[in-house]
Every structure is written in structure tokens, then in C-alpha cells.
Amino acid sequence: MKFFVDTADVAQIRELAETGLLDGVTTNPSLIAKSGRNFLEVVAEIASIVDGPVSAEVVAMDHETQMKEAEKLIPLASNICIKLPLTLDGLKTCKKLTDRGIQTNVTLCFTANQALLAAKAGATFISPFVGRHDDVSWNGMDLISDIRVIYDNYGFDTEILVASVRHPVHVLEAAKIGADVCTLPPDVLKKLANHPLTDNGLKAFLADWEKTGQSIL
Ligand code: E4P
């Protein structure tokens, strides 16, 4: 499973990129607003930090303006992935960009039928939002399972990018289903490494090592 980080915080991206665990970055207009930075500048900086896809989202609703916005974003870096809303206009833009070899991420997916349309439009990634489904008392992971079955039935190449991830159990469930990518808030990615028994075990090992009076170096 690939891990993307879902943030426009450059300091956090740098820190996580150094772990070697980061395969890409996703942003959205809310995350850009939170960063307080110029959209084009921050996206270009992020794309210079990671080698993998960096999703930059258009904000226009209509196809023509989405294409114009995409034309501004594409030259920023070779790893820019154009993020598009799951609307008919967004899908039309997705198809046009895909045909040109541009990476695309179709976002705000809440049904398996929407995911089917994105795959038919040639999307590189489909972003089903699990946490927002859970928020309204519907199991978001059922959506991931349905999309996995449908994509496998027809051999679609579109990668399932699990979005709106809120905690480590989302990652575990997505991995069991066989989702291709999870995009994670930085704190959730860090939490994956934590376990109190690891901490306790390490403490005991180091205390015993201290008793030996030895040094490896
Ligand atoms: C994905 O690309 C979105 O940016 C993100 O995962 C949305 O998450 P949220 O529902 O926590 O805002």
C-alpha cells in the first residue's frame, strides 16, 4: 500500500519524506487555506520535496475553466496530479487530461457508481472519502470494498486512494481490502508506528543493556 500525506504543511511533508515512507501528497482547497500560503507557490514547493504524485485541486465547476486552471498547475512540476471533483464536468476534464498523459485524481467520491464513472474517464486515482461517510452513520469501508470488487471485475487500472482517513483502523481495514493508496493526515501516519508494548519493551531492553556497561560504538 502506498502512503500519501494529506496536508499542505511543508514542514510536516519534509519531516515525513525523510522517513522514506511517503509516496505522494494530496491537498485540497481547505488545506491550502489552512496553510495561509499562495496556492501555486506551496504546490510547487511540495512537488520539489516528494518524487511521487502531488494532487492539486481545481476550483472551477465548469469543464472549460477547469482546463484553464489545470494548464496553470501542470507546468509547476512533472509530478503534479490534477485533482478534479466528481461531477460530469470534472469527469470530462479528467478524460481530456488522461488522454494527454496527465495524472488525475477524482475527488469527493461517495458511491461505487461514481467510482465506476471515474475509472471509465481514465482517472489515475479515485478518492472515496471514508471518514465523512462514517460521520453520517454509514460505514465508509463498505464503499472501499465495493469499489475494489468493481475495479477488479473489469480490470480497471484506476488506483483506489482512500481519503478522509481519520485513524489507524481506517488504514488497517483499507489494507485488508486491498486499496492501493491511503492519504493520511500527518498525525495518523505517525500513529501507525506507535504501540505501548514497543515502548515498554524498549525501556526494559535499554535498562538491561545499561547493566552490561558495554557500548556498541
Ligand atoms: C483527500 O484528498 C481529502 O483532501 C481529504 O482526505 C479530506 O479529508 P477530511 O474529510 O478529513 O477533510
Side-chain angles (χ1 to χ4, degrees), residues 6 26-28 31 83 105 107 127 129 132 163-166 183:
D6 195 32
T26 52
T27 66
N28 64 38
L31 294 170
K83 202 172 178 188
N105 174 0
T107 191
S127 288
F129 279 36
R132 293 190 195 191
S164 190
V165 166
R166 304 277 169 79
T183 189

Side-chain angles (χ1 to χ4, degrees), residues 6-121:
D6 195 32
T7 184
D9 181 331
V10 169
Q12 296 258 31
I13 293 167
R14 280 189 201 285
E15 182 191 342
L16 290 168
E18 279 170 17
T19 66
L21 296 170
L22 206 54
D23 300 299
V25 176
T26 52
T27 66
N28 64 38
S30 304
L31 294 170
I32 297 296
K34 194 172 163 196
S35 79
R37 295 192 49 190
N38 174 275
F39 180 34
L40 300 186
E41 278 176 24
V42 75
V43 165
E45 186 174 347
I46 293 169
S48 73
I49 299 168
V50 295
D51 293 331
V54 174
S55 288
E57 188 163 344
V58 301
V59 289
M61 296 292 290
D62 66 286
H63 165 68
E64 285 73 23
T65 319
Q66 286 174 354
M67 287 301 292
K68 286 182 190 152
E69 290 180 348
E71 297 303 347
K72 292 269 284 188
L73 297 166
I74 292 163
L76 293 177
S78 58
N79 53 341
I80 295 293
C81 174
I82 303 298
K83 202 172 178 188
L84 301 153
L86 211 157
T87 60
L88 288 177
D89 279 64
L91 293 169
K92 187 173 168 184
T93 307
C94 175
K95 180 79 175 83
K96 286 261 168 63
L97 294 175
T98 299
D99 288 348
R100 279 171 46 189
I102 307 292
Q103 293 196 87
T104 50
N105 174 0
V106 177
T107 191
L108 289 166
C109 170
F110 291 93
T111 72
N113 278 340
Q114 288 180 315
L116 180 55
L117 292 182
K120 285 186 69 71

